[in-house]
Amino acid sequence: MQNLIQAQRTFFNTNATKDIKFRKQQLQKLFDVLKENEQLMFDAIYTDFKKSSFDTFTTELALVYSDIKEAIKKVDDWSRIKNKRTNMLNFPAKSYVIPEPLGVSLVIGAWNYPYQLSFAPAVSAIVAGCTVVLKPSEIPENTSKVMAKIINDNFAPEFFKVVEGGVEATTELLKQQFDKIFFTGSTTVGRIVYQAAAKHLTPVTLELGGKSPAFITANANLKIAAKRLVWSKFLNAGQTCIAPDYLIVHKSIKDEFLNLLKTEIENSHFDPDNKNYVQIVNRKNTERLVKLIDSKKVVFGGDYNLEERIISPTILDNITFEDKIMEEEIFGPILPIIYYDDLDAIVAKVKQLPKPLSCYVFTKSKSAKNKILNEISFGGGCINEAVMHLSNPNFGFGGVGDSGMGSYHGEEGFKAFSHYKSILDKPTWIEPNLKYYPQTSLKLKLIKLFFGLK
Ligand code: NAD
């Protein structure tokens, strides 16, 4: 690993990646090799957890392709030197900011959307002019292998290399000195990564998880809310970092909304008998999820098959914040419902919890919407929709507090892997003597004036 990182550092120091043409070529190459190997990727992910090629394309590859296209189109603009106004104190001078790539980067991916969560940060790194060591999650082993094959067969290791492995390999990687670490995964491992990065003062982006709530007020369009929530919750068998983790529903619509949710699930393709019903990624997670199903609270589903790693879409009703299911991020097809009476009280309660990655509000009420948006801190979210904010390329995506730090996609991704050098560029034909001795009261007066002070 030391040799690999040294080779990347040597390559980075040749300035090859600072050439915008080089970045565009590498991005186009990435686009092309992913396209050529699409079928391999579809097959691998189906073997790992039965994700269909339709879902893999729409929720993973489409986002990566669109990020690459956007990066190629915008890199000239993002990387150009930006002029800034020079303040009076420094007059005459030019002021500008130079974006520079941070250097050798490490991208660590999570397993739930393995292609998207590995390649999208790599696109951000490449467009910013960094070299990349990519460590995909080892859990879906076929997707990890395919990514290693596609990248390592087509890119020079000193520029872009996939290193496969689990905790041991990642721990070893984290001992090395990188110029940027981009991590996607759990809050627990995020802390480990942050501590390792601190040793070398390496900047980090942490894309973590958490329990994302969805509020449904009494006056919401309930049919639409049920349809959108069922899709976003059970997509990928609930293994989505921004999935609505639990619902907060006004108690006056309890029966009506519960019935709508059940009907939506019944009418959906989220059916364990469907050959494309996504599996839980491994036995350990299946067992963890099964333990979270409190049979006394099941009002829909609750069936599972440990061998097949399948859990049917499940609704748990009348949940309280004290229930076991509310202790950790669910990350599976189990939907708990908490009922509320008083919006002020429930918002106050949610504010006491760790800051979630997302928050969703289904309502026609402006005041309810504004209250939730203004009072609860969270990464990002939607009104009368769930999950889809991720698909708007004009947004940065990231968490806050326990759900992460920093953001990416589009220009935010470029910024995540860049440093902005501020330059004051002075001419020599004049030498204002304000800062030099002797210190007179007139000079002080002028300095105060230039600072905008009396
Ligand atoms: P994880 O934290 O277990 O693993 C993530 C990566 O860290 C993997 O590559 C793994 O090999 C590595 N890793 C695991 N343990 C390690 C250790 N002790 N030391 C060093 N490296 C280690 O997460 P996961 O199970 O792959 O993914 C699920 C979590 O990721 C959920 O919490 C989910 O919300 C979160 N997530 C967040 C986003 C986001 O964009 N914010 C996206 C997807 C998933």
Side-chain angles (χ1 to χ4, degrees), residues 108-112 117 135-139 165-167 170-171 174 183-187 189 192-193 207-210 241 329 331 357 397 403 408:
I108 303 174
W111 56 261
N112 56 326
L117 299 173
K135 210 298 288 177
S137 170
E138 72 285 13
I139 291 179
V167 177
T170 321
T171 306
L174 285 170
F183 171 80
T184 305
S186 60
T187 304
V189 180
I192 296 172
V193 171
E207 298 285 344
L208 311 177
C241 56
E329 179 183 2
F331 225 54
L357 185 56
F397 174 81
S403 57
Y408 76 125

Side-chain angles (χ1 to χ4, degrees), residues 195-236:
Q195 274 171 5
K199 271 204 184 118
H200 299 291
L201 289 179
T202 302
V204 295
T205 298
L206 300 176
E207 298 285 344
L208 311 177
K211 288 184 87 62
S212 301
F215 290 83
I216 300 94
T217 70
N219 66 2
N221 181 329
L222 298 185
K223 200 165 170 2
I224 287 288
K227 195 173 177 69
R228 294 178 182 171
L229 282 165
V230 163
W231 183 81
S232 52
K233 174 72 188 187
F234 298 110
L235 176 76
N236 217 34

Side-chain angles (χ1 to χ4, degrees), residues 241-258:
C241 56
I242 48 174
D245 184 275
Y246 62 103
L247 306 187
I248 297 176
V249 177
H250 193 267
K251 71 177 191 191
S252 64
I253 51 168
K254 181 177 172 159
D255 294 338
E256 185 185 358
F257 194 59
L258 191 54

